[in-house]
């Protein structure tokens, strides 16, 4: 049974179709959720709930479109909500509300590009420490763009906001990462 | 930095925190079935293909689907007792992997609203009949630790260390028969057997399969126990929850005290190992009297030998006993009521 067949069976009410989708996507989904929530148990709960939502909402899914992005979008949204609920992060100057609909009126100029940021990263620990300082929404933007490999256009579609908002979120995340990686200045 | 490298960094970070074996399917399946019993029954009855499956966790539910599809073409959503029968047939018919559990490690929390909101947290290790350990803390409503107790079985040696108000009592027995502090996985043949065991345990309860759920990410049968009138539903001290929680004896007031009178109990049991994972005890007004829940459990985990050994601190006074039973030891120590596990 391939993914297309699994979805067809699920749309026909066969829970067995969901099993293949679980086995195919659970690892990637849990890892993506973990990068946002920073809590393995919470990440697994988020993904478990997301698969249940797939079962309940499969009729809303267009079988002509790829399943992965649709499902992972559910995971990312739920991970953001879960992480916000946990309220683990220090409030940053640049924050989004839970729906992520804040849009800037103008794009900033002159900031460092992503390549420059990542070139400064040397260890996984440094990346992890820096990620922890981002808001869940900013983390989700980083995860979607750099872990799931989504284009900014796809991210705009999936996060239901404009491409400029996506660019802003990514810029804010990258800027925050860059600032956090600067050595502390002497007092 | 190439895109692939960025993705790899993030994947490395996430992978380092992920369990080696991730399997969410049993819990997902149990959750769907538990929340959509009627519609799930309709949907799974449409399957016609028999697939030999080994029973692992929620695969029992999948067996339900195949058996239902083959044997009950006109099957309508079952009453609880019909689901039980179907599960029994599914389990009996499938080629079974033994639900062999050699070891486990769990964390358990118990709350007793009726006893000044006392909370008991336990950590338990099971390494076989003669390798068991249970570490327990009893806390008051403010979280202050009142008592701690460690019970360690190692071969024919038993150590019981109880600490209260900074003072410890250490008991060491050799060849003494104690009730095991940790429950062994039960080799049940079927859910029916499990229900019969609960019903006959006290001779005063009726047991029915109420559904499926998920506790500590384990698919679980939900078993509803109803105490028969004039049966064992007397003062709360008399009707103990399942012996899985060996010191989980409610201290009830003597006499007919309806507030503390146990009327019903619900037990969530791991579908693979039949270990109880959660219990709720309620009185006639459906108020919660006692609740215990496993918050984490890992099966077939490697447990170091040091977990099942104990060395008294230098200068500690140890009460040593040989032979007899736990009750004998307690009588020697206290003359009456128990703090220690007893046979």
């Amino acid at each position: 049974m391939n993914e297309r067949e699994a979805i067809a069976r699920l749309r026909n009410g066969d829970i067995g179709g969901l099993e293949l989708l679980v086995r195919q996507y659970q690892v990637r989904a849990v890892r993506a959720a973990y990068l946002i929530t920073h809590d393995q148990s919470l990440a697994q709960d988020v993904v478990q709930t997301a698969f249940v939502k797939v079962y309940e909402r499969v009729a809303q899914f267009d079988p002509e479109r790829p399943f992965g992005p649709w499902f992972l979008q559910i995971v990312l949204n739920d991970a953001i909500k879960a992480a916000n609920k946990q309220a683990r992060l220090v409030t940053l100057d640049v924050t989004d509300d839970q729906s992520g609909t804040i849009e800037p009126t103008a794009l900033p100029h002159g900031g460092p590009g992503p390549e420059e940021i990542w070139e400064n990263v040397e260890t996984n620990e440094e990346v992890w420490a820096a990620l922890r300082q981002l808001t869940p929404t900013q983390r989700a933007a980083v995860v979607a763009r750099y872990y799931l490999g989504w284009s900014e256009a796809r991210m705009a579609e999936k996060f239901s906001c404009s491409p400029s908002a996506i660019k802003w979120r990514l810029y804010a995340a990258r800027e925050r990462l860059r600032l956090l990686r600067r050595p502390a200045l002497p007092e | 930095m190439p895109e692939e490298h960025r993705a790899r960094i993030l994947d490395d970070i996430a992978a380092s925190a992920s369990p080696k074996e991730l399997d969410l399917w049993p819990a997902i399946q149990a959750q769907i079935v538990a929340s959509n019993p009627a519609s799930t029954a309709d949907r799974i009855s449409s399957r016609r293909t028999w697939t030999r499956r080994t029973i692992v966790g929620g695969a029992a539910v999948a067996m339900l689907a195949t058996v239902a599809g083959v044997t009950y073409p006109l099957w309508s959503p079952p009453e609880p007792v019909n689901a039980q029968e179907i599960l029994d047939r599914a389990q009996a018919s499938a080629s079974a992997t033994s639900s062999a559990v050699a070891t486990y490690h769990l964390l358990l929390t118990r709350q007793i609203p009726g006893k000044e909101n006392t909370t008991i947290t336990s950590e338990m290790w099971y390494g076989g009949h003669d390798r068991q350990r249970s570490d327990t803390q009893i806390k008051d409503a403010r979280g202050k630790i009142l008592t701690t107790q460690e019970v360690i079985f190692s071969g024919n040696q038993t150590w019981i260390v109880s600490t209260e108000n900074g003072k410890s009592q250490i008991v060491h027995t050799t060849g003494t028969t104690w009730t095991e502090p940790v429950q062994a996985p039960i080799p049940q043949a079927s859910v029916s057997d499990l229900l019969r065991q609960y019903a006959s345990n006290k001779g005063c309860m009726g047991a029915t399969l109420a559904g499926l759920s998920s506790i500590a990410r384990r698919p679980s049968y939900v078993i509803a126990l109803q105490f028969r009138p004039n049966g064992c539903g007397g003062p709360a001290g008399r009707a103990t929850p399942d012996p899985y929680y060996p010191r989980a004896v409610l201290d009830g007031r003597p006499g007919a005290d309806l507030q503390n009178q146990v009327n019903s109990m619900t037990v969530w049991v791991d579908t693979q190992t039949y270990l109880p994972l959660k219990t709720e005890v309620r009185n006639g007004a459906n108020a919660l009297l006692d609740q215990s829940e496993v918050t984490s459990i890992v099966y077939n985990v490697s447990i170091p030998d040091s977990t099942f050994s104990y060395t008294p601190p230098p200068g500690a006074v140890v009460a040593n006993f040989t032979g007899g039973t736990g009750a004998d030891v307690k009588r020697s120590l206290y003359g009456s009521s128990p703090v220690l596990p007893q046979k």
Side-chain angles (χ1 to χ4, degrees):
Chain A
M1 177 171 52
N2 59 29
E3 180 176 301
R4 204 176 180 86
E5 290 165 350
I7 293 167
R9 286 172 73 168
L10 190 56
R11 286 169 67 84
N12 284 333
D14 183 354
I15 194 175
L18 183 63
E19 183 178 1
L20 181 138
L21 299 173
V22 170
R23 304 227 182 271
Q24 197 156 316
Y25 285 96
Q26 60 181 344
V27 171
R28 192 161 178 76
V30 167
R31 291 182 183 181
Y34 174 72
L35 288 169
I36 296 168
T37 63
H38 290 187
D39 183 317
Q40 181 62 221
S41 296
L42 186 58
Q44 290 187 28
D45 286 344
V46 163
V47 172
Q48 183 175 321
T49 302
F51 276 117
V52 174
K53 286 184 181 179
V54 166
Y55 174 81
E56 293 170 348
R57 301 179 189 174
V58 68
Q60 301 169 16
F61 172 67
D62 179 357
E64 298 305 312
R65 307 197 68 174
F67 173 79
W70 179 74
F71 168 66
L72 290 169
Q73 184 55 48
I74 297 174
V75 171
L76 292 185
N77 283 340
D78 286 356
I80 291 171
K81 289 176 192 167
N84 279 326
K85 195 172 177 184
Q86 285 234 322
R88 284 168 168 255
L89 293 178
V90 174
T91 302
L92 302 176
D93 293 334
V94 179
T95 59
D96 289 340
D97 64 8
Q98 290 194 13
S99 61
T101 56
I102 296 174
E103 297 187 18
T105 54
L107 281 176
H109 297 284
E115 291 76 13
E116 187 179 338
I117 303 304
W118 286 108
E119 279 173 4
N120 288 329
V121 169
E122 293 179 0
T123 67
N124 289 4
E125 289 73 22
E126 288 172 336
V127 171
W128 185 236
L131 276 176
R132 289 179 73 88
Q133 302 302 315
L134 301 181
T135 68
T137 306
Q138 290 171 337
R139 287 184 208 153
V142 170
V143 169
R145 178 69 181 89
Y146 299 116
Y147 180 62
L148 299 178
W150 291 358
S151 65
E152 290 177 3
R154 169 169 273 175
M155 287 172 63
E157 176 199 351
K158 294 301 179 186
F159 285 110
S160 300
C161 54
S162 69
S164 62
I166 290 296
K167 287 183 187 296
W168 169 252
R169 285 189 202 173
L170 285 173
Y171 169 77
R174 294 193 298 262
E175 187 64 13
R176 184 71 186 172
L177 287 170
R178 183 177 71 83
L179 291 171
L180 288 166
R181 287 218 63 254
R182 275 182 183 160
L185 296 174
E187 305 239 354
Chain B
M1 177 185 295
E3 293 272 345
E4 298 77 26
H5 187 55
R6 295 187 200 118
R8 197 166 16 204
I9 285 180
L10 292 171
D11 196 58
D12 281 349
I13 291 171
S16 65
S18 298
K20 288 198 170 98
E21 299 289 333
L22 178 67
D23 184 8
L24 299 179
W25 176 238
I28 291 168
Q29 191 176 36
Q31 188 174 338
I32 289 174
V33 171
S35 57
N36 301 281
S39 60
T40 307
D42 285 340
R43 291 177 179 192
I44 62 182
S45 67
S46 67
R47 287 186 66 174
R48 292 289 183 263
T49 305
W50 173 271
T51 305
R52 286 178 69 80
R53 301 279 297 272
T54 56
I55 292 181
V56 178
V61 176
M63 292 309 302
L64 167 68
T66 57
V67 172
V70 170
T71 316
Y72 299 96
L74 299 178
W75 185 43
S76 57
E79 297 296 323
V81 65
N82 290 338
Q84 170 200 325
E85 289 172 359
I86 292 168
L87 282 169
D88 286 347
R89 293 184 202 190
Q91 287 183 313
S93 302
S95 68
T97 303
S98 88
S99 55
V101 175
T103 68
Y104 67 78
H105 171 232
L106 68 80
L107 300 173
L108 168 75
T109 298
R110 179 183 173 208
Q111 288 174 314
I112 313 175
K115 284 188 68 67
E116 300 164 347
N117 285 315
T118 298
T119 299
I120 301 173
T121 55
S122 299
E123 185 170 7
M124 299 181 183
W125 296 260
Y126 175 82
H129 170 69
D130 59 355
R131 279 161 53 95
Q132 301 179 24
R133 179 174 182 139
S134 169
D135 290 354
T136 299
Q137 287 184 343
I138 300 175
K139 299 176 186 172
D140 65 15
R142 291 166 298 174
K144 179 187 169 191
I145 297 174
L146 303 173
T147 306
T148 65
Q149 188 178 79
E150 299 162 75
V151 179
I152 302 161
F153 275 21
S154 181
N156 70 342
Q157 311 279 318
T158 299
W159 291 93
I160 300 165
V161 183
S162 303
T163 303
E164 189 167 353
N165 294 326
K167 294 181 184 173
S168 291
Q169 176 194 62
I170 303 173
V171 174
H172 173 232
T173 70
T174 304
T176 302
T177 303
W178 291 95
T179 298
E180 294 180 6
V182 179
Q183 184 164 344
I186 305 169
Q188 299 289 341
S190 67
V191 173
S192 287
D193 285 347
L194 182 69
L195 295 177
R196 273 192 288 274
Q197 179 189 326
Y198 273 107
S200 66
N201 198 22
K202 305 289 179 194
C204 55
M205 293 189 290
T208 55
L209 180 65
L212 291 169
S213 184
S214 173
I215 303 293
R217 292 202 182 81
R218 296 291 307 175
S220 310
Y221 297 122
V222 183
I223 297 172
L225 305 171
Q226 197 70 34
F227 291 88
R228 300 199 173 99
N230 303 318
C232 56
R238 306 291 173 81
T240 66
D242 190 276
Y244 185 50
Y245 309 114
R247 283 169 294 287
V249 176
L250 302 175
D251 294 332
R253 282 169 280 168
D257 182 343
L258 291 178
Q259 262 194 331
N260 281 336
Q261 192 165 14
V262 177
N263 178 258
S264 65
M265 193 158 79
T266 307
V267 184
W268 287 254
V269 174
D270 190 306
T271 61
Q272 180 183 4
T273 65
Y274 296 102
L275 281 172
L277 299 177
K278 181 177 175 180
T279 61
E280 284 185 352
V281 182
R282 295 180 181 273
N283 64 11
N286 206 37
L288 188 65
L289 296 177
D290 195 322
Q291 176 180 314
S292 298
E293 184 166 352
V294 170
T295 55
S296 165
I297 186 164
V298 181
Y299 293 113
N300 291 325
V301 61
S302 173
I303 306 175
D305 290 340
S306 57
T307 301
F308 305 109
S309 66
Y310 178 78
T311 303
V317 175
V318 179
N320 287 291
F321 297 88
T322 302
T325 66
D328 298 331
V329 172
K330 283 181 308 180
R331 268 192 295 276
S332 298
L333 288 169
Y334 308 111
S336 59
S337 268
V339 170
L340 303 171
Q342 61 175 333
K343 188 83 175 156

